């Protein structure tokens, strides 16, 4: 899984490509931690090229969301979730913890 | 019948997914259903590595897939600690974010996705998880 991060004026954009499972989730956690430990808590996550995400991957997003939302200091928003992943998040009842946008521009612009 | 054995490492998960997808594709599920079956298998294998084997390394996961006209049966075998799903409390995700706990999320997904699930432990120390998904 490849991860790129870009720092914008109002938020950070994280894009991951490939599969997020128990093997690769720690790498994603590190990418988010690098941002939040630097005191930035407004993050947009581009999922357009995520092919698979397990509950372990979703948990990384939820842990990051907890950190971002603490003291009302930020938010982790998600862009470009494909139908298969959205359906799985729905099944688990975990989609409600995120604002979801159809494209990256809207996600970044939401801050 | 497809059959393969994988080392109990997290890096096996992608390979197991690829292996199972051959059988799943043969049944002709719609794209979303096929994807969810792969999620269930990933969750089950992660649980085997984490809980049955207590981490990566010591054991193997044997995976077999049986395809019929309208269903796929996936059987996962391991030699770790036996698993009793009734001991896992049902997670409650309808809580405020800060109270959210992760435990049990994988099992919930497996139960929501698959049509039949059976956990059996044999006297010779083999755990057998059988999961069926119908069209």
């Amino acid at each position: 899984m490849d991860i790129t991060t870009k720092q914008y004026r109002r938020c950070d954009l994280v894009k991951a490509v490939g599969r997020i499972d128990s093997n690769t989730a720690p790498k994603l956690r590190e990418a988010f931690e690098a941002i939040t430990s630097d005191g930035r808590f407004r993050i947009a996550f581009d999922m357009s090229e995520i092919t698979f995400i397990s509950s372990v991957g979703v948990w990384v997003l939820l842990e990051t969301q907890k950190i971002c939302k603490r003291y009302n200091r930020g938010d982790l928003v998600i862009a470009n979730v494909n139908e298969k992943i959205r359906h799985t998040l729905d099944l688990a009842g975990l989609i409600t913890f995120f604002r979801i946008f159809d494209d990256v521009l809207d996600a970044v612009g939401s801050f | 019948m497809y059959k393969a054995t994988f080392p109990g490492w997290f890096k096996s998960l992608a390979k197991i997914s690829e292996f199972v997808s051959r059988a799943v594709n043969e049944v002709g599920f719609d794209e979303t259903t096929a994807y969810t079956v792969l999620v269930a298998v990933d969750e089950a294998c992660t649980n085997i590595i984490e809980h049955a084997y207590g981490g990566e390394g010591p054991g193997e996961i044997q995976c077999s897939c049986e395809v019929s006209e309208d269903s796929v049966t996936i059987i996962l075998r391991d030699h770790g600690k036996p698993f009793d799903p009734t001991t896992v409390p049902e997670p409650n995700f309808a809580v405020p974010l800060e109270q959210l706990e992760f435990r049990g999320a994988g099992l919930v997904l497996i139960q929501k996705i698959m049509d039949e699930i059976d956990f059996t432990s044999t006297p010779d120390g083999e755990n057998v998880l059988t999961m069926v998904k119908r069209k």
Side-chain angles (χ1 to χ4, degrees), chain A residues 18-75:
Chain A
R19 191 183 151 89
I20 311 172
D21 58 18
S22 301
N23 189 43
T24 56
K27 198 174 162 190
L28 183 64
R29 180 181 285 116
E30 276 171 29
F32 286 130
E33 276 173 1
I35 297 168
T36 55
S37 64
D38 211 25
R40 301 193 305 280
F41 305 101
R42 293 171 169 188
I43 304 172
F45 183 42
D46 180 1
M47 291 186 72
S48 57
E49 291 188 54
I50 295 293
T51 53
F52 181 95
I53 183 164
S54 71
S55 66
V56 173
V58 177
W59 187 244
V60 170
L61 302 183
L62 285 164
E63 279 180 322
T64 305
Q65 184 67 299
K66 281 187 186 186
I67 293 166
C68 289
K69 287 212 159 177
R70 196 171 297 155
Y71 316 122
N72 230 2
R73 61 194 173 185
D75 195 5

Side-chain angles (χ1 to χ4, degrees), chain B residues 30-93:
Chain B
D30 65 76
E31 209 183 321
T32 299
T33 305
Y35 172 81
T36 59
V37 173
L38 299 183
V39 170
V41 171
D42 184 281
E43 302 294 344
C45 292
T46 290
N47 284 347
I48 289 171
I49 295 169
E50 274 188 358
H51 303 299
Y53 289 133
E56 289 186 282
E60 291 180 327
I61 301 171
Q62 193 199 85
C63 177
S64 45
C65 305
E66 214 176 298
V67 175
S68 80
E69 208 174 282
D70 62 353
S71 71
V72 64
T73 301
I74 297 154
I75 302 169
L76 299 172
R77 292 185 162 86
D78 69 78
H79 289 85
K81 276 191 298 186
F83 175 62
D84 178 0
T86 60
T87 61
V88 181
E90 196 177 327
N92 180 11
F93 298 139

